[in-house]
Amino acid sequence: MSETNNGGTPNATTGYTVSDLVGLALRQIGIGAMGTQPSPADLSDGVMHLNMMLAQWQRRRWLVPNLVDKFCLSSGASVYAVGPGGDFDMPVRPAQVLSAYARLLIGAQASQDGDFSGVDFSSSDFDTGSDGLSTGNPVDYPLTAIPSYEDYASLGLKGLKTWPNYFFYNPAFPDGEFRPWPIPPAQMWELHIIVAEPLPTTLKATDAINLPPEYWDAIMWTLAERMAPSYGQEASATVSAKARGALATIRSANVQIPTLGMPAILTPISSPFYWPGLEIQKL
């Protein structure tokens, strides 16, 4: 097993290495204990288990520490590829698009560095002309998710090209399919999606675990619990309890609960019970 710098102290930037945490996980189930070292085969198996485990964690929102904003310029197409080399270029295609919005670019330029950088917006960004459209700065409009392919298939005029209001995401493989509707005209819109940032799933034994510090403990104990059956044993109650506790810590750190909104059909403006803002009230 490779050694970390400073006698086992993690690097301040990159943390422990893969072999460090795999070795610790194996010791929790008695492999490489009492001063011995795990064999190269044991470490190799542990690295494979770690990559498979992180691939599973990727699909659980509360185990991903960061969301990212990906965007592409509208081309007039009805389908945009999401994944490696796609219109929304990212290392792996996401299982879900958590949120989406469209940015009107009339008189404005497309983004270069993504969103929410802390310096993107100024008071002039909210200046609109007499027609309500952007005169020199972009205006964002949220897109409502169409929840299933069956609902998307029920649209009568899928080729309608005008102001976008909805989107459907089909998690095809290797590239997902982002379908805005109505179809936004070319070069007038910037389409943005909010997705979970990919976790590392192609790690090697010498690679660093470049994740927040609270992940180190969770990886060690959960990996120990996962690998125990490979050695003909069940994980002990202590190992399982430590794994649950470490994952609970990550859950509490990562949890984000969006504001619950009411469907528009349930809050018509003509209703005697309507007040401005009712459609986004928390329940």
Side-chain angles (χ1 to χ4, degrees), residues 18 22 46-55 203 209 219 223:
V18 169
V22 170
V47 172
M48 292 177 62
H49 273 283
L50 174 60
N51 283 321
M52 289 187 288
M53 184 178 76
L54 291 175
L203 294 169
I209 301 291
I219 287 173
L223 193 58

Side-chain angles (χ1 to χ4, degrees), residues 9 45 51 60 80 98 100 124 171 178 223 236 243 267:
T9 302
D45 288 350
N51 283 321
R60 303 178 186 178
Y80 295 82
L98 303 175
S124 62
F178 180 79
L223 193 58
S236 69
T267 57

Side-chain angles (χ1 to χ4, degrees), residues 57-206:
W57 285 12
Q58 178 66 46
R59 303 310 180 199
R60 303 178 186 178
R61 167 64 187 90
W62 55 276
L63 283 175
V64 178
N66 189 32
L67 302 183
V68 293
D69 185 316
K70 297 292 184 179
F71 71 92
C72 73
L73 194 62
S74 64
S75 63
S78 61
V79 181
Y80 295 82
V82 185
D87 300 294
F88 296 93
D89 191 8
M90 52 192 310
V92 295
R93 72 98 172 95
Q96 292 178 301
V97 169
L98 303 175
S99 181
Y101 62 95
R103 172 166 293 174
L104 182 61
L105 295 176
I106 295 177
Q109 299 296 319
S111 295
Q112 297 298 321
D113 301 316
D115 247 355
F116 312 126
S117 68
V119 295
D120 282 347
F121 304 108
S122 66
S123 59
S124 62
D125 288 341
F126 304 96
D127 179 35
T128 57
S130 59
D131 58 357
L133 298 178
S134 174
T135 58
N137 296 283
V139 179
D140 296 343
Y141 298 90
L143 300 179
T144 300
I146 297 175
S148 71
Y149 216 146
E150 292 86 345
D151 291 317
Y152 178 79
S154 69
L155 295 175
L157 187 57
K158 296 180 181 63
L160 177 64
K161 293 189 175 184
T162 182
W163 198 291
N165 285 290
Y166 299 90
F167 77 92
F168 169 67
Y169 178 66
N170 179 33
F173 186 84
D175 284 349
E177 299 174 348
F178 180 79
R179 299 171 179 259
W181 189 84
I183 300 170
Q187 308 299 312
M188 287 182 59
W189 294 87
E190 194 177 78
L191 304 173
H192 289 249
I193 61 174
I194 309 299
V195 296
E197 184 176 36
L199 295 175
T201 56
T202 57
L203 294 169
K204 301 185 293 294
T206 55

